Amino acid sequence: MSRGTEPRISIVTADGFVLCHECRVADSFWSRLRGLLGTTPLRAGEGLFIPRTSSIHTHFMRYPIDVVFVDAEGCVRKIARDLRPWRVASCRGAHDVVEVPGGRCDELGLAEDAVLVQSARGVCLSG
């Protein structure tokens, strides 16, 4: 994954399970445009947090990812598991998206209605 200057956060479930401990924040036009394009596969613990979006694509990517759609309160609305390259995923009502390595959500047993929080800066997704 790119080691740029984007801010990084940790995202955990309300139960304390770490979804990603080094999650790059794509909060600028350019970081959102690039996303994970042209990167090596995400390693365990890595991810990408995309605020203020309800859809993503995996065009030009070379590896599958799990995509977690979260509403404004931090509640998981939908999980697109092992989304392969050249796919599109969206979720009505989603406010943010977290992209993690394919299979990570199954490893954690993450399900819809789970609550996620950001832990690095003390800012909660869940308000």
Side-chain angles (χ1 to χ4, degrees):
M1 185 159 79
S2 171
R3 303 283 180 221
T5 60
E6 294 94 354
R8 298 191 190 284
I9 58 173
S10 294
I11 298 179
V12 299
T13 67
D15 297 336
F17 295 104
V18 178
L19 180 60
C20 63
H21 65 81
E22 187 178 331
C23 202
R24 189 167 49 96
V25 179
D27 60 355
S28 71
F29 173 80
W30 293 111
S31 62
R32 292 168 71 89
L33 181 65
R34 175 146 192 238
L36 295 174
L37 300 177
T39 64
T40 58
L42 293 170
R43 295 177 293 190
E46 290 184 329
L48 180 68
F49 175 70
I50 309 170
R52 301 171 311 281
T53 194
S54 60
S55 63
I56 62 96
H57 69 83
T58 59
H59 298 117
F60 303 103
M61 289 180 58
R62 298 180 185 159
Y63 54 91
I65 56 174
D66 284 353
V67 182
V68 182
F69 294 92
V70 183
D71 67 18
E73 287 76 42
C75 185
V76 175
R77 297 286 303 260
K78 176 182 174 181
I79 302 171
R81 289 176 163 78
D82 287 313
L83 192 65
R84 296 185 325 231
W86 298 99
R87 302 293 189 270
V88 174
S90 65
C91 176
R92 176 177 279 168
H95 187 264
D96 305 313
V97 170
V98 182
E99 298 178 349
V100 294
R104 181 68 178 146
C105 292
D106 285 342
E107 288 174 14
L108 291 177
L110 189 67
E112 292 178 8
D113 296 326
V115 176
L116 301 181
V117 296
Q118 293 180 13
S119 64
R121 308 248 189 297
V123 178
C124 291
L125 288 173
S126 59

